[in-house]
Amino acid sequence: MHPSEDPEILKSVLYDKSCTCPLCGKAFTTKTIKLGKNQVTSIDEDLYAHYSTVNPLLYDIIVCPECGYSAVTKNFSSLLSKQKEWLSAHFYRGSQIPTYSEYTTIDEAIHKHKIALLACITRKSKLGEQAYLALHIAWLYRDKGDDAESKNFLKRAYDGFAEALTKENFPILGLDEATLLYMLAAMAHELNKSEESKQYLSSVITMPGLSPRLKDHALNLKEKLYEKR
């Protein structure tokens, strides 16, 4: 059994955090990972980090049990009055709300992310936030072993981030310019867009003040790209 499936281990890593829904005002609790209880064990080429105990993506979406409003944790509490108007027509109350397990499964996490993406589109959020959610859905499908759906959402994330790069200010959901450029290069590589990957990667490698960690990822990706020539 993986640690993320062991209830006793999960009890030691997660705690109940109090929330109030910004759409309907419902007070409730949601599972959150305790700081320092989860260590990175590996990182994929596109910076998807894998952890020793539990995947943070399983608990990165908050879903209101009263109206169904869903959003990524860092943005859950922020709604403008106009956004509330748009959302109120799409989210519901009572028995129609999905019932989730106490400890989130991959399928449930995918469902939560898709509801959050719908909410994101409905409240006309920035392209970067929509791409961020699409990328996380792609990663969850990767974990599930569904390559086709993973690629579908990866392309959606790639297109969204590429547009956000030209229209939005940094940071974009915590991503600085160098990190986003690198992630675009890695996503382009995975989507067999070699020339686009090389262009983004060239921009990253020449940036001043690049972190050693990101530089290592960029040089590794460059090696893979030019091996294909």
Side-chain angles (χ1 to χ4, degrees), residues 158-196:
Y158 175 78
D159 291 342
F161 276 134
E163 191 172 352
L165 186 66
T166 65
K167 294 180 177 180
E168 296 176 11
N169 296 324
F170 290 97
I172 295 174
L173 268 291
L175 300 173
D176 60 24
E177 185 177 7
T179 302
L180 182 55
L181 283 168
Y182 170 77
M183 290 177 73
L184 282 164
M187 285 188 276
H189 178 234
E190 191 166 348
L191 294 168
N192 296 314
K193 298 175 182 286
S194 296
E195 291 308 312
E196 292 177 33

Side-chain angles (χ1 to χ4, degrees), residues 26-37:
K26 171 74 174 178
F28 61 97
T29 61
T30 186
K31 296 291 184 190
T32 302
I33 299 172
K34 295 177 182 177
L35 293 177
K37 291 289 186 178

Side-chain angles (χ1 to χ4, degrees), residues 1-9:
M1 180 184 291
H2 188 274
S4 64
E5 299 173 342
D6 187 326
E8 292 306 313
I9 292 177

Side-chain angles (χ1 to χ4, degrees), residues 14 17 19 30-33 38 48 51 54-63 69-77 104-105 108-114 116-117 123 129 132-137 139-140 173-174:
L14 301 169
K17 175 184 176 182
C19 298
T30 186
K31 296 291 184 190
T32 302
I33 299 172
N38 217 19
Y48 180 25
Y51 288 78
V54 59
N55 183 351
L57 293 190
L58 298 180
Y59 298 95
D60 195 34
I61 300 296
I62 298 176
V63 180
Y69 173 63
S70 309
V72 66
T73 300
K74 64 181 70 175
N75 285 351
F76 183 76
S77 299
T104 307
T105 65
E108 288 174 335
I110 290 170
H111 188 261
K112 289 179 179 182
H113 276 78
K114 286 181 176 179
L117 181 54
R123 62 182 166 85
E129 185 175 353
Y132 177 92
L133 284 164
L135 178 60
H136 287 189
I137 295 170
W139 286 346
L140 288 164
L173 268 291

